Amino acid sequence: MGGLLTRVALWATATGATKQASLSGSDPGAHAMSTAAVNKSTTRETGQPQAQRQVLVALSGLLIALFVSTLSSTVVSSALPKMVQALDGSQTQYTWIVTATLLTTTATTPIWGKLSDLFSKKTLVQCAIVVFILGSVGAGLSQSAGQLIAARAVQGIGVGGAQALVQIAIAAMIPPRERGRYSGYLSSVTAVSTIGGPLLGGFIVDTAWLGWRWCFFISVPVAVASLVLLQRTLRLPVIRRENVKIDYLGATLITASVSTLLIWISFVDGPFAWMSWQTGAMVGGAVVLLAAALWVETRAAEPIVPLHIIKQRTTVLAILGSLAAGTAMFSASVFLSQYFQVSRGYNAMHAGMMTIPMMGGLLVSSILTGRLLSKTGKLKPFVVVGSLLLTIGFAGLGTMDHGTSLVFIGVAMLFVGTGVGMTIQNFILAVQNSVPLKDIGTASSTVSFFRSLGGTCGVAVFGAVLARQVAERTTQNHESASVAYGAATGNIFLIAAAIAALGIAAALLLKPVVLRTSIDTTEETATVPGAEEAGSAPRDAEPGPDGRGARGPA
């Protein structure tokens, strides 16, 4: 339903900009999205409405893919207890149902990004959606907690691909200067799926004729709809590169390093202590694997994470800012919902509704920021102000306890949401503006990877700190669970405020640049003339009638 609403909203926006042209007698590719069409039409005032409509049509399938992949991570939050109970799972398995998806999503993001620089972006998006569908069906059919964890890991691979490739595909279609105009749609989809996921999951598990399995099955028809829309509407230029080599060893080492680190974060202070041989083995192993990955990346012909991109000042600052914003976004969405349920006594649906000020601030600020960016082209002022608001908002949440005024909490959440809306996409945009089109997939996914890593690590560490403080307050100070949880939540948000302050430093150090109006850093591209991603994979040149030459499409 959410995907249908997204499509309807996009259709309404498009038809509001320009009347629907009659299809009879029109060119078969008139409604196809192509980079050349956007660039050419946006340079003329009379062509802007048509170009905007083409972008919105092409965005419909991408936005639905983003919606369903994000929804899959939020819809299970309120349904997990009944899932584990029905499958006779343990507390450790309860954690791994979530952790498995986070592991594969985070670890595969840079790999998807690198592949997008080598192969068809449209085909890769479709592959990611197919993997997601297979994982969703497997999760819904699971007969044990172990099967569910394995299916969720597969689902996470698809989620990582969909979320990374949607950003990359949009970057390949729209110049940085114009991209801000459409960033509001991305934030809107994220906000709707974040708010609606827990509400939908609670409704599904409480409906007798549905049950928890439909938390996974419900994603399948929406994902299939996105596949159909992508096949019909998305057209991107095909960049063919000779002698393509994939850095499988580097990919394996990076995945192993990140997975080991996240496994440690998931279990530390639980089955084993922070200072234990397990901690030493896992952290030490992750460091050794990371060092080996760096050594391989410096010698690989096509490295998964090109170090020349990581070394750029803009990329380093964007990674730092994205770490701060990602930690803030994930921790706020996770712990605020728990705070309203445990400390304030609201049920899952009401707790989700209480976070509307944060999501509303994210939605409005991202739309307004995007439009202003398209007009001015100046990125730095927005990320500086956004980072400040994010820090102020978390500082306000850091003072709360079980009895804090809901109005005050709502204002603080509004600041947090506004700050996230002004920074979360724009740090990626800063990197996309500084790299050529051939590296845009790798650069974008690298920043997204560190943002996801920061969020995942932040949630795990904050969760461990929260559990420890609640245990100390209830046993030593003899406080009730609601009182202890309220005070402990405020403390972790103070830590989040300190991390968000790093984003201020990163934003201030960014060079003030004007976003370019071209897709690539140069007007000349390596695009094969006439090659487009239409309904099928691009065709290789065919032999001419004499068998010697090559001919293009008729």
Side-chain angles (χ1 to χ4, degrees):
M1 181 178 293
L4 179 60
L5 292 176
T6 303
R7 185 181 178 189
V8 171
L10 289 173
W11 177 85
T13 305
T15 52
T18 180
K19 293 182 178 180
Q20 174 111 10
S22 174
L23 294 179
S24 59
S26 62
D27 179 70
H31 298 277
M33 178 63 227
S34 70
T35 303
V38 175
N39 280 338
K40 186 175 180 180
S41 58
T42 52
T43 59
R44 300 190 302 267
E45 185 68 25
T46 56
Q48 286 183 358
Q50 178 64 18
Q52 291 176 18
R53 181 187 178 279
Q54 289 177 335
V55 173
L56 291 171
V57 170
L59 276 178
S60 59
L62 293 173
L63 289 178
I64 294 175
L66 179 63
F67 173 83
V68 73
S69 63
T70 307
L71 184 70
S72 68
S73 301
T74 60
V75 73
V76 300
S77 58
S78 55
L80 272 175
K82 289 193 175 181
M83 289 183 189
V84 175
Q85 182 181 4
L87 296 174
D88 196 23
S90 64
Q91 180 60 40
T92 300
Q93 290 171 323
Y94 179 101
T95 303
W96 267 95
I97 292 173
V98 177
T99 305
T101 305
L102 292 175
L103 274 171
T104 52
T105 298
T106 304
T108 57
T109 295
I111 299 175
W112 284 109
K114 183 59 183 179
L115 292 175
S116 73
D117 286 334
L118 302 177
F119 303 110
S120 163
K121 296 175 179 61
K122 175 179 176 178
T123 302
L124 287 172
V125 173
Q126 293 174 317
C127 289
I129 295 173
V130 170
V131 173
F132 172 81
I133 292 173
L134 294 175
S136 299
V137 172
L141 296 176
S142 298
Q143 300 300 312
S144 67
Q147 292 178 6
L148 179 57
I149 291 170
R152 288 279 289 170
V154 174
Q155 192 181 40
I157 297 174
V159 170
Q163 293 181 350
L165 292 166
V166 165
Q167 295 273 0
I168 294 166
I170 291 174
M173 289 193 300
I174 308 169
R177 182 71 171 265
E178 295 297 319
R179 207 171 298 152
R181 187 192 307 273
Y182 305 96
S183 63
Y185 295 118
L186 298 177
S187 299
S188 300
V189 168
T190 302
V192 170
S193 59
T194 302
I195 295 174
L199 304 181
L200 180 62
F203 170 78
I204 290 175
V205 297
D206 290 336
T207 303
W209 54 274
L210 288 175
W212 66 265
R213 297 182 186 276
W214 277 95
C215 289
F216 304 106
F217 290 149
I218 198 171
S219 299
V220 175
V222 183
V224 171
S226 71
L227 273 177
V228 175
L229 280 173
L230 287 171
Q231 187 70 16
R232 292 173 60 89
T233 64
L234 185 63
R235 309 289 197 275
L236 292 174
V238 177
I239 301 177
R240 292 199 179 108
R241 297 174 61 182
E242 301 295 333
N243 300 321
V244 172
K245 297 180 180 179
I246 300 179
D247 179 20
Y248 291 107
L249 179 57
T252 302
L253 290 172
I254 291 174
T255 303
S257 174
V258 173
S259 299
T260 303
L261 179 61
L262 293 182
I263 290 172
W264 169 71
I265 292 173
S266 301
F267 286 100
V268 69
D269 206 33
F272 55 85
W274 290 86
M275 301 300 295
S276 62
W277 69 265
Q278 292 95 334
T279 293
M282 290 187 178
V283 175
V287 171
V288 171
L289 289 170
L290 180 59
L294 289 174
W295 184 84
V296 170
E297 295 299 275
T298 58
R299 289 159 175 79
E302 293 280 358
I304 286 291
V305 182
L307 296 183
H308 72 275
I309 294 179
I310 298 294
K311 292 178 181 178
Q312 294 179 7
R313 173 178 173 175
T314 300
T315 306
V316 172
L317 293 175
I319 287 173
L320 180 61
S322 294
L323 277 170
T327 302
M329 181 177 67
F330 286 106
S331 62
S333 62
V334 170
F335 296 112
L336 278 173
S337 179
Q338 290 185 348
Y339 166 79
F340 286 122
Q341 292 183 62
V342 177
S343 187
R344 306 305 287 259
Y346 294 101
N347 59 31
M349 292 187 66
H350 285 144
M353 295 175 64
M354 295 297 290
T355 61
I356 288 179
M358 182 173 67
M359 297 305 167
L362 188 155
L363 174 61
V364 174
S365 66
S366 61
I367 293 176
L368 294 179
T369 300
R371 293 188 178 277
L372 291 173
L373 267 176
S374 295
K375 290 182 179 180
T376 65
K378 297 179 180 179
L379 180 68
K380 183 173 180 177
F382 297 103
V383 293
V384 170
V385 173
S387 299
L388 283 170
L389 291 175
L390 185 62
T391 305
I392 293 172
F394 270 116
L397 292 177
T399 64
M400 72 183 189
D401 56 23
H402 70 287
T404 303
S405 167
L406 293 177
V407 175
F408 177 82
I409 295 175
V411 172
M413 286 193 296
L414 179 63
F415 274 55
V416 170
T418 304
V420 171
M422 297 178 73
T423 58
I424 200 72
Q425 300 293 341
N426 291 331
F427 277 119
I428 296 179
L429 183 57
V431 175
Q432 292 175 343
N433 186 68
S434 65
V435 299
L437 183 61
K438 67 182 181 66
D439 291 330
I440 204 164
T442 301
S444 302
S445 62
T446 299
V447 178
S448 298
F449 165 77
F450 283 102
R451 182 182 67 189
S452 179
L453 180 62
T456 305
C457 295
V459 169
V461 173
F462 287 168
V465 173
L466 182 70
R468 180 177 297 177
Q469 290 196 4
V470 170
E472 290 177 354
R473 287 176 174 273
T474 53
T475 57
Q476 298 178 10
N477 301 342
H478 304 290
E479 295 177 350
S480 65
S482 61
V483 173
Y485 199 95
T489 303
N491 291 336
I492 65 170
F493 282 145
L494 279 179
I495 302 174
I499 296 175
L502 295 175
I504 300 176
L508 290 173
L509 292 173
L510 279 175
K511 292 182 178 179
V513 296
V514 177
L515 298 179
R516 66 175 188 263
T517 57
S518 61
I519 292 290
D520 207 347
T521 51
T522 60
E523 292 298 326
E524 296 181 359
T525 64
T527 306
V528 176
E532 286 186 347
E533 294 180 85
S536 61
R539 296 178 299 175
D540 293 327
E542 302 173 355
D546 58 359
R548 294 175 297 177
R551 68 182 182 183

